[in-house]
Amino acid sequence: MNISLLTLFFTLFLFVGCSNHRPPAVPTDYAQKLPWGAIDLDQNSTNSNSVINSLGKSLLMKIDINKDTSNTINYNILALSGGGSRGSYGIGLIVGWNERGTMPKFDVVTGISTGAVMAPFVFLGDSEIDKAKYFYTEMTTERVFTSSMLSFFSDGYIMNAKPLKKLFRKNFNKEFLDKVAAEYKKGRRLYIGTTNLDTGQLTVWDMGAIAASNRVDKYKRFSDIIYASTALPVYLPPQYIEIDIKGNPYYQMHVDGGVYAQVFMIGLVMDWSKILNMNADVKKRFDTTLYVIANRKYRQRDIYTPVEQEPFNIIESYLLMEMDLLFDKNVYRMYRAAKNKNIHFKISSIPKKMKNIIITPTEFKPCEMKKLFDIGYTRGIDGIEWKSEISLDEYDKNR
């Protein structure tokens, strides 16, 4: 390395090191304080924003609806995974499944990363699903985000997310949030996950509670959370979530929920029959199914894709591999928790043996996304062959 390159390197290093554009961080003593709309995941918490008051009330409302019958109480959960533009598979599956007429009206929908984008539309169903279909079959990379390489040296990201944020603000308007709020009041729940980089923890947001609130800033909060859940660190700018402490605004740095978990569901390890004082008859009548739609292949370790010896290519390949491994672990944890609670488990993922139609999940190419959408759609309309059993023994097996 010559002197001029060394000078340039250290100049850039100092420039990056000295740059700090973030708004004031939350004081250490309040690091664990939750912003409004977020759920307290401590199963012993009885705060108004606790998991017991959120998911617990959903279960109680379901019981109340069925109190005058002896029918089975069907409770259906849908968890949508991360996967970037590969979400075209999940939306294809949903569209086909919906048209087939066998898709249940889910009591709970969770979404993280790209799953967070489609989750609100799937939650509402009907014509709203078409909006998600458009996003995953017609959108181009340039209409989602634009290059901003110089921002890397000052702000730590390489793509500008203004087009994506504008799209979210346009869709998540008063009419949309009113519909989400109406379903929330019926006992249905929509949960989105983001990663709080300041604490290194998953934050789960009750989107229905946000939509049903009287706060004037609920539209911005709703849109910001969806964006935050998709904001892959370094690739896209983080989302700063405001939190009030003693009348003063401070900010948490939130990024892609997929950094912490590629798919999730809260409350799976909790003893709800005890917490809600269910009698034996009611407990016996509950028939819960957890559906997982994976916008990725599942446990395939035989993909050969030579990587160019360039920084971004190596980093991208590393991140994608780590996210695949994280997804596998997340799914197995959910599977075991579901089995322990006698919850039916069903998962559908992108077929292993098909060629890589989507080159990278950060590229939105309509011609390729439509092909993947069609694969999902065919599965949905023909009748989904769900995988209901998984094992750690298959972890390193290539099939």
Side-chain angles (χ1 to χ4, degrees):
M1 183 180 287
N2 58 40
I3 298 299
S4 61
L5 287 176
L6 276 173
T7 302
L8 176 61
F9 174 81
F10 283 113
T11 299
L12 291 176
F13 177 80
L14 290 173
F15 184 44
V16 173
C18 294
S19 176
N20 186 1
H21 293 287
R22 74 163 291 163
V26 175
T28 303
D29 290 345
Y30 297 89
Q32 298 303 319
K33 183 177 173 63
L34 293 172
W36 79 271
I39 298 176
D40 186 346
L41 298 177
D42 183 354
Q43 62 179 357
N44 296 314
S45 172
T46 55
N47 294 330
S48 60
N49 64 336
S50 69
V51 62
I52 292 177
N53 280 326
S54 179
L55 186 56
K57 284 185 178 179
S58 171
L59 292 165
L60 287 174
M61 291 177 74
K62 194 75 173 182
I63 294 170
D64 187 62
I65 291 171
N66 293 274
K67 65 181 180 181
D68 296 325
T69 73
S70 58
N71 298 335
T72 297
I73 303 175
N74 294 307
Y75 198 79
N76 295 297
I77 304 166
L78 174 65
L80 299 165
S81 86
S85 53
R86 293 169 181 165
S88 50
Y89 170 78
I91 281 299
L93 192 80
I94 289 289
V95 171
W97 190 11
N98 188 48
E99 289 184 10
R100 183 179 173 85
T102 56
M103 187 173 76
K105 189 170 186 177
F106 299 104
D107 297 282
V108 178
V109 175
T110 76
I112 205 157
S113 198
T114 204
V117 177
M118 63 179 70
F121 302 104
V122 175
F123 178 74
L124 293 182
D126 299 327
S127 61
E128 296 295 344
I129 296 177
D130 291 335
K131 295 179 182 178
K133 175 184 175 181
Y134 178 84
F135 185 86
Y136 287 101
T137 59
E138 302 293 336
M139 295 296 288
T140 60
T141 303
E142 295 73 22
R143 294 172 64 190
V144 179
F145 28 68
T146 57
S147 178
S148 184
M149 291 296 293
L150 290 179
S151 297
F152 174 75
F153 301 108
S154 59
D155 298 303
Y157 59 85
I158 62 175
M159 301 299 283
N160 188 317
K162 288 182 179 179
L164 184 61
K165 286 192 169 187
K166 184 178 179 180
L167 183 67
F168 289 160
R169 287 195 299 271
K170 178 182 178 181
N171 279 279
F172 302 131
N173 53 24
K174 183 180 185 304
E175 180 184 2
F176 192 93
L177 263 66
D178 284 348
K179 291 180 181 178
V180 172
E183 295 305 312
Y184 170 79
K185 292 173 183 177
K186 295 176 185 176
R188 299 180 65 221
R189 296 291 181 263
L190 171 62
Y191 297 131
I192 299 298
T194 65
T195 302
N196 181 344
L197 272 190
D198 293 332
T199 62
Q201 296 175 331
L202 178 72
T203 300
V204 177
W205 304 84
D206 190 331
M207 305 302 280
I210 293 172
S213 74
N214 294 321
R215 295 183 60 123
V216 296
D217 57 344
K218 65 182 180 181
Y219 307 102
K220 183 179 186 305
R221 178 58 55 96
F222 195 101
S223 179
D224 284 350
I225 291 166
I226 301 298
Y227 167 72
S229 190
T230 70
L232 183 64
V234 180
Y235 193 79
L236 291 173
Q239 178 64 53
Y240 290 104
I241 301 293
E242 183 177 332
I243 181 168
D244 180 84
I245 298 176
K246 295 184 177 180
N248 297 311
Y250 293 92
Y251 298 84
Q252 297 175 341
M253 182 188 286
H254 286 255
V255 298
D256 191 341
V259 171
Y260 190 96
Q262 279 290 302
V263 65
F264 79 99
M265 175 55 196
I266 61 175
L268 286 177
V269 298
M270 298 172 68
D271 187 350
W272 289 105
S273 60
K274 181 178 180 180
I275 293 171
L276 302 179
N277 294 317
M278 292 184 192
N279 61 47
D281 175 63
V282 171
K283 180 181 178 181
K284 189 182 300 182
R285 287 167 60 201
F286 257 95
D287 188 23
T288 304
T289 303
L290 171 60
Y291 298 90
V292 176
I293 294 182
N295 296 299
R296 57 178 66 250
K297 294 181 180 180
Y298 174 63
R299 290 184 177 173
Q300 181 165 355
R301 300 289 177 262
D302 58 354
I303 299 175
Y304 176 61
T305 307
V307 178
E308 295 295 328
Q309 190 170 334
E310 297 175 353
F312 287 119
N313 291 82
I314 294 173
I315 291 171
E316 180 179 64
S317 295
Y318 164 75
L319 287 175
L320 292 178
M321 180 182 68
E322 286 299 309
M323 287 183 176
D324 282 344
L325 291 169
L326 179 60
F327 173 77
D328 293 351
K329 294 174 183 177
N330 294 153
V331 164
Y332 187 73
R333 180 187 295 177
M334 290 173 66
Y335 168 78
R336 291 306 312 164
K339 288 297 181 181
N340 288 338
K341 295 294 183 182
N342 293 317
I343 295 173
H344 305 297
F345 177 90
K346 298 184 178 183
I347 182 172
S348 178
S349 58
I350 296 175
K352 287 184 180 180
K353 295 306 178 182
M354 60 170 280
K355 294 181 179 179
N356 270 351
I357 292 177
I358 302 297
I359 298 173
T360 171
T362 54
E363 291 183 352
F364 286 73
K365 298 181 177 181
C367 60
E368 295 182 348
M369 290 192 298
K370 287 177 181 176
K371 292 177 182 177
L372 193 52
F373 172 89
D374 288 341
I375 290 171
Y377 176 82
T378 299
R379 283 187 158 191
I381 199 73
D382 288 348
I384 305 167
E385 294 184 9
W386 298 98
K387 184 179 179 68
S388 58
E389 299 288 337
I390 61 177
S391 169
L392 278 178
D393 292 339
E394 66 181 323
Y395 192 81
D396 290 317
K397 290 182 180 179
N398 296 323
R399 298 178 185 273

